[in-house]
Amino acid sequence: MFHSIILCSLLSLFLPPANLAAVSDDEYLKLPLLRKSPLPSPTQALALDTRRLHFLSPPQTRPVRQIAGNLRGLFRSGQYFVDLRIGQPPQSLLLIADTGSDLVWVKCSACQNCSLHSPATVFFPRHSSTFSPTHCYDPLCRLVPEPVRAPRCNHTRIHSTCHYEYAYADGSLTSGLFATETTTLKTSSGREAYLKSVAFGCGFRISGQSVSGASFNGAHGVMGLGRGPISFASQLGRRFGNKFSYCLMDYTLSAPTSYLIIGDGGGGGRARSKLRFTPLLTNPFSPTFYYVRLKSVSVNGAKLRIHPSVWEIDGSGNGGTVVDSGTTLAFLADPAYRSVVATVRRRIRLPIAAELTPGFDLCVNVSGVSKPEKFMPRLRFEFAGGAVFVPPPRNYFIETEEHVQCLAIQSVNPKVGFSVIGNLMQQGFLFEFDRDRSRLGFSRRGCALP
C-alpha cells in the first residue's frame, strides 16, 4: 500500500500541466451545482451512506484489486451535480461532484450510428476532434487500476491504449479507456475557457446499481475532487492557486443556488474574510480524502466529555474525521455519538416520537410546532486551529415521516472507519479547500453567488 502511495506521488510529476487558454490571473472557474431530486428517503440515505462509509474505510484487509473501486465509494440520489462540457465541439454531461474520489469518468459510446442514442446521456469520442487515448506505457496509465484481462501492452504500437477498470463492492463497475480531452468552462468574467489534456476515464462498460441504476440518479459519470494527482481539483488547481470551494444550498429550498469554484473565488472578498481555517491532515492509508482534526463537540454550549483519542487516526489508518460531499448524513465515532445522542435527548424541548424511524436512535414529534428548530439543542464542533463550526438544527434534524424529525447523525466504529461531515451538515456554508496551504476554511456567510 505504501509503495502505491509513493508511486502516485512520483507519477504526479508526469501529469501534463493544465493548459488553459485566455484566462487572466485574477479569474477563476465557476460551475453551477444542482440537485436533480430531493433528498432520498431517510432510511435509503442511511443504508447507502453506511455502505459507502464501509467501503471508504482503509482497505488493508481487502484484496488489492478491490482497493481502487472500494475507495471511490457508492453513489445515490442525495447528490450534487456538475454540468461539464467535454470534447470539441463540447458535449454536456451531468457528473456527480465527489470529494471522496479522484477519478473523473464519463459514460462513453463507440457507436457509428449515434442517432440511436439519446443526446446528452453519453460521451461520443468519435464526435470530438480532441479525444486522445492514453498509451498503456504512459506513466499516467499507472495511476488507474487495469482490468484483470487487460490487453497486453505493446510499447511499439501506436494504438496500444490504456485500459482501466473500477470495481465496486456490490459488483458494479466502470471500465474503458483512460484518455485526455478538452473541457469548456465558464470563468468568473463570464467568458469561456478551454482546458486541454484533462485526464479522464471513458467508460464503455458501465454495469451495476451503484453506477447505472436508480441510485445513480441519472448521472453520466463522476467528477472526482479528491487529493490524488488525477482528480479534477488537482489537474485544474495548478493553474488556479491549487484551491477550490463550494456552497451546497439547503435541499428544502425551492430554487437553491449551489456552485463549485475552481480557483481563488471563495464567494467574494467579504465572505473570504469570514473564513475560519483548520489544517488538513494526511492519512497515508487513504490519501484521497480531506481529513481534519475534530477536537470537541458541545451541546448548547456545554462541551461533552469525550477522550481526545476518539478523534485520532490510528496506526492502521482508521479513525479521524473526513469532510465528504458524497456522503449525505453525518457519522461520529461511537463514543462521541452516544454522548451526543444522550445529551441532545436531555436538552431537547420537544416530545420524543412514540415510534422511532427505523435506523435512527432519536426522533421527536413536531406536530403543531411551526418552527421546531427553536426547540432543538445547538451543536458546536471545534476543530484544530480554533475553527468553530455551528450548523443550524435543520442540518442535523431531518423529517423522516409526517410530523417526525430525527437526528441525522449515525455511529461509526473508529476501529474500522472514520467520522464524516456529510453534505447535509455542510448545507448553507462556504467550504474552501486550500491545498497549497493544506487547510480547510468554512464560513456561514459565504453562500451568496459569486
Side-chain angles (χ1 to χ4, degrees):
M1 182 63 183
F2 281 105
H3 290 302
S4 65
I5 295 167
I6 294 172
L7 177 64
C8 287
S9 299
L10 292 175
L11 287 176
S12 67
L13 299 175
F14 296 96
L15 198 67
N19 186 355
L20 194 61
V23 178
S24 63
D25 290 339
D26 60 347
E27 286 187 286
Y28 51 88
L29 302 179
K30 181 172 58 178
L31 296 86
L33 292 176
L34 57 117
R35 224 169 186 159
K36 288 189 66 181
S37 68
L39 196 71
S41 71
T43 52
Q44 180 191 23
L46 173 58
L48 293 166
D49 274 352
T50 301
R51 290 173 62 201
R52 175 179 172 88
L53 187 63
H54 173 72
F55 293 109
L56 288 176
S57 301
Q60 56 268 39
T61 60
R62 301 182 206 133
V64 173
R65 182 173 173 270
Q66 293 185 3
I67 289 177
N70 289 344
L71 280 177
R72 282 148 182 86
L74 305 172
F75 303 99
R76 61 248 165 252
S77 55
Q79 296 290 351
Y80 291 86
F81 295 80
V82 175
D83 186 1
L84 184 69
R85 292 181 294 165
I86 185 170
Q88 285 295 322
Q91 302 175 41
S92 293
L93 296 171
L94 283 178
L95 307 186
I96 291 174
D98 183 32
T99 60
S101 64
D102 289 329
L103 182 69
V104 180
W105 67 267
V106 301
K107 297 179 180 180
C108 285
S109 173
C111 64
Q112 293 183 351
N113 182 7
C114 295
S115 62
L116 299 177
H117 293 259
S118 300
T121 58
V122 294
F123 176 66
F124 303 119
R126 291 176 182 270
H127 290 187
S128 174
S129 63
T130 52
F131 178 77
S132 178
T134 301
H135 194 280
C136 57
Y137 262 73
D138 191 314
L140 196 61
C141 186
R142 300 173 68 185
L143 295 176
V144 291
E146 66 178 34
V148 173
R149 298 180 180 179
R152 182 180 178 183
C153 185
N154 188 335
H155 68 279
T156 63
R157 291 178 56 193
I158 191 171
H159 296 300
S160 193
T161 53
C162 176
H163 293 257
Y164 80 94
E165 180 176 287
Y166 273 37
Y168 291 81
D170 65 348
S172 301
L173 63 83
T174 167
S175 64
L177 301 181
F178 199 50
T180 60
E181 253 298 4
T182 297
T183 61
T184 304
L185 303 163
K186 287 273 188 162
T187 70
S188 52
S189 66
R191 295 187 295 119
E192 287 191 338
Y194 305 96
L195 180 67
K196 300 177 181 179
S197 300
V198 174
F200 77 110
C202 192
F204 291 105
R205 183 186 174 199
I206 311 294
S207 64
Q209 287 299 306
S210 290
V211 293
S212 62
S215 65
F216 206 56
N217 197 36
H220 310 128
V222 175
M223 178 185 284
L225 295 169
R227 303 177 78 173
I230 58 173
S231 81
F232 196 76
S234 295
Q235 294 187 62
L236 274 68
R238 290 189 295 277
R239 175 62 180 83
F240 290 96
N242 206 20
K243 67 173 60 173
F244 70 94
S245 56
Y246 60 65
C247 176
L248 309 179
M249 293 302 291
D250 190 339
Y251 76 96
T252 63
L253 298 179
S254 58
T257 303
S258 302
Y259 58 84
L260 168 68
I261 296 292
I262 305 292
D264 199 16
R270 180 178 297 178
R272 295 194 72 252
S273 68
K274 300 292 185 180
L275 286 171
R276 297 296 178 260
F277 290 96
T278 185
L280 286 170
L281 308 179
T282 300
N283 182 347
F285 289 92
S286 300
T288 290
F289 307 125
Y290 295 95
Y291 281 86
V292 291
R293 177 172 284 113
L294 182 56
K295 295 183 65 177
S296 68
V297 180
S298 300
V299 178
N300 282 356
K303 185 180 295 187
L304 304 183
R305 299 180 63 181
I306 302 169
H307 196 276
S309 63
V310 169
W311 308 117
E312 297 300 317
I313 302 172
D314 67 21
S316 299
N318 296 304
T321 302
V322 167
V323 177
D324 182 25
S325 67
T327 300
T328 303
L329 306 182
F331 289 79
L332 292 178
D334 186 65
Y337 170 78
R338 286 187 277 109
S339 181
V340 168
V341 171
T343 307
V344 170
R345 187 188 300 273
R346 290 196 303 268
R347 301 291 181 87
I348 201 161
R349 294 183 291 152
L350 291 168
I352 302 299
E355 294 185 8
L356 295 176
T357 299
F360 294 86
D361 294 328
L362 178 58
C363 299
V364 294
N365 188 332
V366 297
S367 177
V369 181
S370 59
K371 294 183 178 180
E373 62 271 14
K374 291 185 176 182
F375 302 93
M376 294 175 175
R378 297 301 297 264
L379 298 183
R380 180 181 186 271
F381 301 87
E382 181 184 357
F383 296 94
V388 176
F389 179 57
V390 186
R394 65 176 175 271
N395 284 24
Y396 49 87
F397 266 95
I398 59 173
E399 185 176 23
T400 58
E401 51 191 287
E402 189 176 9
H403 305 312
V404 174
Q405 292 191 16
C406 296
L407 183 65
I409 301 175
Q410 297 294 319
S411 171
V412 62
N413 184 343
K415 294 182 179 180
V416 295
F418 42 65
S419 299
V420 179
I421 306 297
N423 62 44
L424 181 63
M425 189 73 82
Q426 297 176 44
Q427 286 182 158
F429 286 79
L430 171 72
F431 278 82
E432 179 181 276
F433 297 77
D434 188 339
R435 293 149 57 95
D436 275 349
R437 297 185 182 182
S438 193
R439 63 181 188 172
L440 172 70
F442 51 85
S443 170
R444 185 72 178 93
R445 301 184 180 182
C447 280
L449 187 65

